Amino acid sequence: MPHETKDAFHAALAPEDRAICDRLRAAIDDGLPEAESKVRHAHPVWFLNHNPIVGYSRLKDCVRLMFWSGQGFATPGLTPTGTFKAAELRIRDVADLDAAPLTDWLAEARKVQWDYANIVKRKGRLERLR
């Protein structure tokens, strides 16, 4: 059953995964205080001006942190994913989560954005936001 809130998403996690997601949630809320957050497709996602910026989800063997425009970030450590501009970090243990690059990625997420909010209207074509 899909989770309707971030709290419900977190409550359904195993303790090890909850520790990772709690740390991610706090870092994202601190790094992007102006972002609107909600559960989208059963996972927590943060938006700036209705554009998805960052989110995380539980996969079979890890927690995936995803930045929708992460392929354009200068800070290393993210792996390209999908067919657009997204990049991810797969986290298996809370000790693997390094605060320094996470802080940098969140700062870059504000500056480097592709317009996912209008991708359907543009028939699958992404445009860089300025």
Side-chain angles (χ1 to χ4, degrees):
M1 171 157 76
H3 306 291
E4 294 184 15
T5 67
K6 291 180 294 187
D7 290 337
F9 177 87
H10 282 238
L13 295 169
E16 304 82 23
D17 296 329
R18 189 175 316 119
I20 294 168
C21 291
D22 286 348
R23 193 152 162 208
L24 290 172
R25 182 180 185 176
I28 296 167
D29 285 343
D30 287 347
L32 294 171
E34 74 278 24
E36 172 192 5
S37 63
K38 59 185 171 183
V39 173
R40 179 178 181 196
H41 302 293
H43 307 291
V45 178
W46 281 255
F47 298 80
L48 292 175
N49 298 318
H50 308 287
N51 198 41
I53 301 299
V54 62
Y56 49 83
S57 59
R58 174 71 179 104
L59 300 179
K60 184 177 181 180
D61 63 343
C62 65
V63 172
R64 174 178 53 189
L65 172 66
M66 189 169 85
F67 289 91
W68 269 255
S69 300
Q71 289 184 31
F73 295 176
T75 304
L78 297 173
T79 302
T81 186
T83 56
F84 294 107
K85 302 293 182 181
E88 67 180 20
L89 176 68
R90 294 188 178 211
I91 309 157
R92 289 175 176 76
D93 188 280
V94 73
D96 297 337
L97 192 53
D98 188 347
L102 179 55
T103 300
D104 292 344
W105 294 326
L106 291 167
E108 288 183 85
R110 186 180 287 109
K111 298 174 187 171
V112 178
Q113 290 184 46
W114 289 84
D115 188 7
Y116 285 92
N118 293 301
I119 195 168
V120 172
K121 181 170 55 171
R122 291 196 179 102
K123 300 179 181 168
R125 186 174 44 86
L126 276 178
E127 290 186 6
R128 176 99 185 246
L129 294 174
R130 307 219 185 272

